[in-house]
Amino acid sequence: MPRFYRLGWASAGDSLDAATNLKYLITPGGSLQGRLRVPGDKSISHRSIMLSAIAEGTTHIRGFLEGADSLATLAAFREMGVEIQGPEHGELSVKGVGLRGLRQPERPLDMGNSGTAMRLLAGLLAGQRFPATLVGDASLSRRPMRRVTAPLTEMGAQVLTSEAGSAPLHIQPVSSLQGIDYHLPVASAQVKSCLMLAGLYAQGDTCITETAPTRDHTERMLTAFGYEVSRSGSRICLKGGGRLSSCDLEIPADISSAAFFMVGASIAHGSDILLESVGINPTRVGIINILRDMGANIDLTDKRMAGGEPVADIRVRSARLRGIRIPLDQVPLAIDEFPVIFVAAACADGETILTGAEELRVKESDRIQVMADGLKHLGIEAEPRADGIRILGGELGSTDGGDGIHAHSDHRIAMSFAIAGLRARGPVEVHDCANVETSFPGFARLAAQAGLQIEQEVV
Ligand code: S3P
């Protein structure tokens, strides 16, 4: 018997486990209005636990994302003996155990759906004096891990993957790690951060050269914990064997979550929203740059620093969007926002072309294929390519009477099609949405408050 929840009076869907099939039902029309605060930044939340756990002293964190991904990281450190109070309303205290104070976990550490948790922890665990195993859900167990295990092996680590180069990862202790001078073959903040975390435990310097700038939250946060990190051009270096000192951290609202409302307000006529205290780190603002190129009406106000990261309030009003060729240098800066950028492209005049984004094929789902399938389902011309997509803007149809769109358990696909519903000709059904919980607990309720006509159904 399906359970229906009309948002506003039920909290279901905010605490569902990922095995549950959650369906979104969107009635088209309406606009987005009001002041909204989306949850804390996921990338920064993961790092806040990892670094505070190996720091000396107690770190107080505010604005932590209580989503399944960052909670998996938190649970892993509790398993390794770290005392953590909270989280309660995004606040927690972590009693750091120092670089060498983690304890051997009694069971495999479950990273759930989170690539960031698995790849960063692989680096941190490679330097410990005990063995550990990292496991994940079906999606995470398909994702490529050799991009971290290969350079870790060069540092002297012992990390075994499955034959396919994926999880589970079995990490054995080694007598010492050596610093590395590594040129990243892919633009990946996860690989960079993994090696920096291993570098804390290595002899000598660990240096990483980036092919393109990627999010620099690890560098910024290490600095906030008093650890010296140097950057010269695209080369980042740190020396092993230092110490981290506890600090207070304030985590900004996640620009990747704000992105759904930025696109929603842009495409839904008559919208006017203010997104509060959103992180606008220059390595994350591709969504703003790309939408502005498309003609979006976005204003940044009250720019300030919080916890070593720049933040601002973002006002978005609806605008007529035009298709563009997405500049290559914006790709790493908007890597998580492409599903919803494709929705903007579907509502824009003319053609949008994305290239240089083959990484999208190895995210929580193959985001090029899954988005192309969903958009075509809604009657939009979307041509997937090996490293991107071509989308011709048009009128979004409806899933009425049909199968609905499949989110393939990918949180960002689910939220993107929920937002697409604002401009559809008829009702839109999106299946397999429970994983929205990984990054944006309460998405449907907040979207409903802002004006999206959304209901959830648990099947
Ligand atoms: C992240 C880096 C990016 C991003 C992911 C979070 C991080 O992944 O897609 O959602 O927190 O470092 P890649 O490093 O694979 O590009």
Side-chain angles (χ1 to χ4, degrees), residues 42-43 47 116 119-120 143 147 187-191 193 215 335-336 359 363-364 412:
K42 180 151 75 77
S43 292
R47 288 157 171 84
T116 305
R119 294 191 178 123
L120 269 60
R143 295 180 67 186
R147 54 181 60 196
S188 167
Q190 291 178 354
V191 179
S193 302
R215 62 193 71 192
I335 195 67
D336 290 337
E359 275 295 300
K363 293 294 179 191
E364 286 83 330
R412 300 202 202 280

Side-chain angles (χ1 to χ4, degrees), residues 144-176:
M145 291 297 148
R146 285 208 180 104
R147 54 181 60 196
V148 290
T149 60
L152 285 175
T153 306
E154 276 184 50
M155 295 177 80
Q158 270 205 37
V159 188
L160 284 178
T161 64
S162 73
E163 230 170 86
S166 48
L169 301 183
H170 297 287
I171 302 163
Q172 290 297 327
V174 290
S175 53
S176 69

Side-chain angles (χ1 to χ4, degrees), residues 164-218:
S166 48
L169 301 183
H170 297 287
I171 302 163
Q172 290 297 327
V174 290
S175 53
S176 69
L177 294 179
Q178 302 301 321
I180 191 176
D181 200 335
Y182 192 68
H183 288 245
L184 287 175
V186 281
S188 167
Q190 291 178 354
V191 179
K192 173 177 67 173
S193 302
C194 163
L195 300 181
M196 292 176 76
L197 292 176
L200 299 176
Y201 294 90
Q203 290 175 352
D205 290 341
T206 292
C207 295
I208 301 129
T209 305
E210 298 195 275
T211 42
T214 64
R215 62 193 71 192
D216 63 357
H217 306 305
T218 308

Side-chain angles (χ1 to χ4, degrees), residues 21 53 77 114 119 124 137 228 253 279 289 298 367 441 449 451 455:
N21 184 4
F77 281 89
S114 175
R119 294 191 178 123
L124 198 145
D137 70 6
E228 202 181 316
N289 300 337
I298 301 175
R367 288 183 173 162
Q449 268 167 26
E455 287 175 42

Side-chain angles (χ1 to χ4, degrees), residues 13-229:
D14 295 343
S15 57
L16 291 166
D17 66 66
T20 315
N21 184 4
L22 180 72
K23 204 197 272 187
Y24 287 157
L25 306 158
I26 295 101
T27 306
S31 61
L32 299 184
Q33 305 290 339
R35 288 178 82 94
L36 309 173
R37 183 166 180 133
V38 301
D41 188 282
K42 180 151 75 77
S43 292
I44 302 177
S45 293
H46 282 298
R47 288 157 171 84
S48 72
I49 297 288
M50 294 180 192
L51 297 192
S52 58
I54 58 168
E56 287 165 28
T58 298
T59 293
H60 301 284
I61 303 171
R62 287 194 304 150
F64 182 78
L65 168 67
E66 294 180 52
D69 274 13
S70 35
L71 290 174
T73 293
L74 188 152
F77 281 89
R78 278 202 173 123
E79 286 279 338
M80 291 189 284
V82 179
E83 266 179 56
I84 302 174
Q85 265 174 27
E88 218 173 300
H89 305 297
E91 286 194 32
L92 43 87
S93 304
V94 182
K95 205 166 159 199
V97 295
L99 221 49
R100 286 286 170 202
L102 296 174
R103 279 205 324 253
Q104 178 172 346
E106 279 172 16
R107 59 195 126 233
L109 300 171
D110 190 353
M111 304 292 100
N113 191 244
S114 175
T116 305
M118 182 168 284
R119 294 191 178 123
L120 269 60
L121 262 183
L124 198 145
L125 291 173
Q128 304 304 318
R129 298 196 171 114
F130 52 78
T133 297
L134 296 173
V135 297
D137 70 6
S139 150
L140 182 54
S141 304
R142 281 192 297 270
R143 295 180 67 186
M145 291 297 148
R146 285 208 180 104
R147 54 181 60 196
V148 290
T149 60
L152 285 175
T153 306
E154 276 184 50
M155 295 177 80
Q158 270 205 37
V159 188
L160 284 178
T161 64
S162 73
E163 230 170 86
S166 48
L169 301 183
H170 297 287
I171 302 163
Q172 290 297 327
V174 290
S175 53
S176 69
L177 294 179
Q178 302 301 321
I180 191 176
D181 200 335
Y182 192 68
H183 288 245
L184 287 175
V186 281
S188 167
Q190 291 178 354
V191 179
K192 173 177 67 173
S193 302
C194 163
L195 300 181
M196 292 176 76
L197 292 176
L200 299 176
Y201 294 90
Q203 290 175 352
D205 290 341
T206 292
C207 295
I208 301 129
T209 305
E210 298 195 275
T211 42
T214 64
R215 62 193 71 192
D216 63 357
H217 306 305
T218 308
E219 296 89 308
R220 284 174 188 260
M221 202 182 285
L222 275 169
T223 308
F225 278 94
Y227 207 99
E228 202 181 316
V229 179

